[in-house]
Amino acid sequence: MNFTSRVLIIPGLGNSGEQHWQSSWERQYPDFERIHQKDWDTPVCEDWIMQIDRAVMADDPANVLLVGHSLACSTIAYWAQTFNRPIKGALLVGPSDTEAESYPPGTTGFAPIPLLKLPFPSIVVASTNDFYVTLDRATFFAQSWGSKLVNIGAAGHINVNSGHTEWSEGLLLLQELES
């Protein structure tokens, strides 16, 4: 696959380890850039969205594709609500429900989840058995954000623990946004 867009990888809580599909994509496509956060374990929403904005504005925003996983999905929604930048699109994978009682403590400012229509094309990828978000909530987020919803079945949190290390199917979804 060939990507001409500037692809920014945005991991969720705790960052994405070496075996995670986001890291695999960075190895496969050296031009993909990871947005690094100051604090991966006790994040503050305002800090995370500022890091996204700095990265997006470093070059032509209209040519940027964001690839968010887990907490990064709602972070991207907060970023869109705050800055309203005209980017090319976003792939939002396994959006965590930061309003759920089961969500891990230690995050600041990530609830309530923004429910505005995103000002760019987006795809939400969800699973039927994700511990961090029910399919109903992921569907609700996708509808609120104006995103295409892709239900990939029983795929857990779409991370290493659920066997998603290379995840070539995800690259095909990113390619949809590239077009």
Side-chain angles (χ1 to χ4, degrees):
M1 264 175 262
N2 186 25
F3 292 93
T4 58
S5 299
R6 187 165 163 249
V7 178
L8 299 176
I9 302 284
I10 310 170
L13 188 63
N15 199 354
S16 294
E18 283 301 307
Q19 300 307 310
H20 194 282
W21 58 267
Q22 286 183 316
S23 300
S24 172
W25 289 9
E26 285 178 276
R27 286 189 298 276
Q28 190 175 352
Y29 296 93
D31 289 340
F32 287 17
E33 303 168 49
R34 181 178 298 228
I35 294 178
H36 292 278
Q37 301 294 352
K38 294 174 188 167
D39 187 343
W40 289 109
D41 299 317
T42 53
V44 174
C45 185
E46 185 176 329
D47 295 343
W48 277 35
I49 66 173
M50 292 305 294
Q51 287 295 97
I52 292 172
D53 200 57
R54 277 192 275 282
V56 167
M57 296 310 291
D59 203 346
D60 177 17
N63 193 41
V64 169
L65 287 174
L66 300 178
V67 178
H69 180 251
S70 193
L71 181 61
C73 298
S74 57
T75 307
I76 290 167
Y78 273 106
W79 169 80
Q81 175 180 276
T82 304
F83 292 102
N84 199 30
R85 304 280 191 216
I87 65 169
K88 194 170 198 176
L91 182 63
L92 307 168
V93 181
S96 293
D97 188 351
T98 57
E99 297 172 23
E101 287 183 27
S102 62
Y103 194 75
T107 61
T108 302
F110 292 92
I113 294 171
L115 299 174
L116 74 158
K117 185 176 184 316
L118 299 176
F120 43 80
S122 57
I123 298 171
V124 168
V125 182
S127 146
T128 58
N129 64 339
D130 189 333
F131 179 77
Y132 293 107
V133 66
T134 65
L135 182 58
D136 285 346
R137 285 287 283 175
T139 301
F140 175 65
F141 298 152
Q143 290 169 343
S144 299
W145 296 336
S147 305
K148 172 184 175 180
L149 176 69
V150 176
N151 173 354
I152 62 171
H157 193 48
I158 315 170
N159 61 7
V160 174
N161 292 341
S162 60
H164 293 85
T165 55
E166 300 295 321
W167 199 40
S168 56
E169 299 86 357
L171 283 169
L172 293 172
L173 294 170
L174 184 61
Q175 187 70 50
E176 269 186 51
L177 291 165
E178 170 77 5
S179 303

